[in-house]
Amino acid sequence: MVTVSDTILAGVLNDLAGPGWSVCDDFLCGSAWRDLAEEGRKLYGAGRFRAAGVGQGQAGTLAPGIRSDSILWLEPDRLTTTQQACLDRFDELRLAVNRELYLGLQGFECHLAIYPPGSFYRKHLDQFRGVDARQLTVVFYLNDGWTEDNGGQLRIYLDEEGGYQDIQPQGGRLVTFLSARFYHEVLPARRERMSLTGWFKRSS
């Protein structure tokens, strides 16, 4: 069984305790994330993805001027073996965060997201107004051989003055940040871009 290394977990925890956001490579071994990417492409080709909306969960409203990706929510009782193996690794992260940072994370919701060429997601915050269940955002990338010219970077806004960090969506890379603190956006991609995006939650 593949597990997350103590070194990776320690690095993410240190970043979250400090600046509140983290980028780490090789969260899963290459074969594991490539298997998930291949499965995602097959599900997309089979028509299982739907246009993403804005708002809370599956009840969101379509707003193509704000986001233009397609998503597939991963349902706990319908996970494939590949999906379950990935989510087991995220649960290791949840347990480590609770043990060291005392966030009280209980639930996890996530979806696969595909951005066709030209797609984007405008600047937004992951924690809904008046609802603080989402505590920690995770974005795990499933793209092989990504280059800067491909676009599709995740832009995290670091302060109210507009300072930001652009992150390449390279396969195997995990981005983690506090959901209530950081506005972010997905810049337009020039090739198909895939990720698994999720939120660790606590009881409201």
Side-chain angles (χ1 to χ4, degrees), residues 116-162:
S119 299
F120 55 85
Y121 194 166
R122 302 300 187 200
K123 184 178 178 181
H124 64 285
L125 195 67
D126 279 351
Q127 195 174 88
F128 301 117
R129 182 173 298 177
V131 181
D132 66 353
R134 287 181 175 179
Q135 294 294 303
L136 197 62
T137 298
V138 295
V139 187
F140 182 56
Y141 293 113
L142 306 172
N143 310 295
D144 211 352
W146 199 272
T147 67
E148 186 174 357
D149 290 342
N150 295 144
Q153 291 87 357
L154 175 69
R155 176 167 292 179
I156 297 182
Y157 291 89
L158 305 178
D159 53 51
E160 296 181 355
E161 287 70 43

Side-chain angles (χ1 to χ4, degrees), residues 90 93 108 136-140 174-176 196-200:
F90 281 110
L93 177 59
F108 184 62
L136 197 62
T137 298
V138 295
V139 187
F140 182 56
L174 177 71
V175 181
T176 313
L196 185 150
T197 302
W199 301 271
F200 289 109

Side-chain angles (χ1 to χ4, degrees), residues 50-61:
R50 295 292 180 264
V54 297
Q56 294 192 44
Q58 300 181 56
T61 302

